[in-house]
């Protein structure tokens, strides 16, 4: 039997350059070549609108079997939305407010080369905390990223939160250039896997697969075959390899069939 395979992709750094729209060449390859062999799905940490912006608007629901925004807390199968949970139902309003208040005070006391707006974005299953503010231009994002590399602003912020809230069942994950995500234990990208049914193999492709990266847990999960990529072009290369291996496997199986029947 030929195995039923689905390819599940991270968005930023895997299908697209960070925060950018998917390149026409990558999209063409996905839908004219890969989709003939495998079903396709995406899982991003950002909200649905940002994923839509990057991957081609409303038509994403026709293109991908599954769309997972916010690590799969917002989930669509064949364009239909699946039921979900929220961070406030999981953590509780009071603890959540203590946490948000601490973040706002911490940010207020931070001195950076510059600050912009939207320091905490409240999402369905997570908080996205940005010391510099999410309303940065592309250039400002890069400037902050460089500054953060040198001064470990996000890393130190996370250490302070862990120290202040040792008992809250929260995971911290640095992704992208200007922020980090905070979500309940287990609500990393592996959350989306509960929605995927009916496949022999789930191949996951991600660029932040080392410990602390937002693809780490799903890349390491026993439920997936993990592919570590460096950029969208590398994703294309690795898909070509996967397709060649799958074709080879299928041919071997087909050659084996008459013998089994005899
Ligand atoms: Mg990524």
């Amino acid at each position: 039997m030929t195995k039923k395979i689905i390819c599940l992709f991270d968005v930023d750094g895997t299908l697209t350059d960070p925060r950018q729209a998917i390149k026409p060449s990558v999209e063409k390859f996905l839908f004219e070549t890969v989709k003939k062999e495998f079903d396709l799905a995406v899982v991003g940490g950002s909200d649905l609108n940002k994923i839509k912006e990057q991957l081609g608007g409303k038509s994403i629901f026709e293109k991908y079997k599954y769309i997972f925004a916010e690590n799969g807390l917002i989930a669509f199968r064949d364009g239909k939305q699946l039921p979900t949970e929220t961070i406030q139902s999981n953590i509780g309003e009071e603890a959540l407010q203590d946490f948000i208040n601490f973040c706002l005070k911490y940010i207020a006391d931070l001195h950076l080369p510059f600050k912009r707006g939207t320091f905490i974005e409240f999402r369905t299953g997570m908080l996205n905390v940005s010391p510099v503010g999410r309303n940065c231009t592309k250039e400002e994002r890069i400037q902050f990223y460089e500054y953060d590399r040198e001064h470990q602003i996000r890393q130190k912020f996370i250490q302070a939160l862990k120290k202040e809230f040792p008992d809250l069942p929260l995971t911290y994950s640095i992704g992208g250039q200007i922020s980090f995500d905070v979500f309940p234990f287990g609500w990393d990208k592996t959350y989306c896997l509960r929605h995927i049914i009916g496949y022999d193999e789930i191949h996951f492709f991600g660029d932040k697969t080392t410990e602390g990266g937002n693809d780490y847990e799903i890349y390491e999960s026993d439920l997936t075959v993990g592919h570590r990529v460096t950029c969208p072009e590398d994703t294309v290369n690795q898909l070509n390899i996967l397709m060649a291996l799958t074709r080879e496997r299928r041919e071997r199986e087909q050659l084996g069939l008459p013998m089994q029947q005899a």
Side-chain angles (χ1 to χ4, degrees):
M1 272 285 287
T2 304
K3 286 192 172 172
K4 201 171 175 204
I5 293 175
I6 187 164
C7 292
L8 172 63
F9 303 98
D10 163 53
V11 182
D12 281 329
T14 300
L15 286 186
T16 74
D17 289 328
R19 315 307 303 165
Q20 304 300 301
I22 189 167
K23 287 183 191 134
S25 58
V26 176
E27 181 155 88
K28 191 168 184 281
F29 174 72
L30 279 183
F31 297 106
E32 290 180 14
T33 306
V34 185
K35 205 179 173 182
K36 289 189 178 131
E37 306 256 352
F38 312 129
D39 280 347
L40 306 178
V42 287
V43 56
S46 51
D47 66 28
L48 184 64
N49 280 333
K50 293 196 188 85
I51 292 177
K52 274 188 189 166
E53 273 170 33
Q54 288 176 272
L55 298 182
K58 276 186 191 161
S59 66
I60 58 169
F61 295 113
E62 287 137 46
K63 290 172 178 166
Y64 297 93
K65 178 80 180 172
Y66 292 91
I67 309 266
F68 300 118
E70 304 185 29
N71 291 352
L73 268 300
I74 301 294
F76 292 82
R77 180 193 295 133
D78 295 320
K80 289 195 193 72
Q81 190 163 9
L82 304 168
T84 192
E85 300 169 82
T86 62
I87 189 171
Q88 60 271 36
S89 66
N90 186 279
I91 300 296
E93 286 292 350
E94 198 168 333
L96 192 59
Q97 190 169 150
D98 287 345
F99 187 89
I100 290 172
N101 290 349
F102 182 89
C103 286
L104 292 171
K105 282 180 205 149
Y106 187 95
I107 292 166
D109 288 337
L110 261 185
H111 282 273
L112 301 172
F114 57 92
K115 274 185 187 172
R116 297 296 179 257
T118 312
F119 299 98
I120 300 179
E121 192 172 85
F122 193 86
R123 299 180 185 164
T124 309
M126 71 171 78
L127 301 176
N128 177 267
V129 182
S130 175
V132 67
R134 295 194 59 80
N135 301 357
C136 285
T137 64
K138 198 175 160 185
E139 290 71 33
E140 287 166 346
R141 285 178 163 273
I142 295 164
Q143 281 172 38
F144 176 78
Y145 184 61
E146 296 297 329
Y147 186 82
D148 186 51
R149 273 226 293 233
E150 194 179 332
H151 298 276
Q152 303 290 306
I153 303 297
R154 290 184 287 180
Q155 207 51 262
K156 286 177 193 162
F157 197 159
I158 290 170
Q159 291 316 319
L161 286 165
K162 283 183 175 168
K163 197 170 161 221
E164 183 72 18
F165 301 100
D167 301 325
L168 281 186
L170 293 171
T171 300
Y172 303 85
S173 173
I174 294 181
Q177 295 167 310
I178 57 162
S179 62
F180 59 89
D181 293 330
V182 185
F183 45 81
F185 283 166
W187 289 19
D188 51 67
K189 283 184 182 167
T190 58
Y191 189 93
C192 78
L193 297 174
R194 70 192 64 195
H195 295 302
I196 301 181
I197 42 173
Y199 293 91
D200 299 304
E201 288 177 6
I202 300 170
H203 285 256
F204 172 75
F205 297 75
D207 68 315
K208 295 276 194 293
T209 54
T210 53
E211 197 167 357
N214 59 10
D215 298 323
Y216 175 70
E217 292 86 356
I218 190 168
Y219 172 81
E220 291 285 337
S221 167
D222 291 342
L223 300 174
T224 65
V225 180
H227 299 262
R228 176 180 292 156
V229 304
T230 55
C231 60
E233 289 71 26
D234 189 31
T235 304
V236 169
N237 287 339
Q238 297 207 32
L239 280 166
N240 272 318
I241 294 167
L242 176 63
M243 284 191 295
L245 287 172
T246 308
R247 246 175 265 135
E248 203 182 299
R249 189 162 70 181
R250 196 182 306 138
E251 279 160 18
R252 274 205 313 267
E253 282 166 1
Q254 281 165 355
L255 284 172
L257 270 179
M259 281 163 65
Q260 285 168 353
Q261 284 164 345

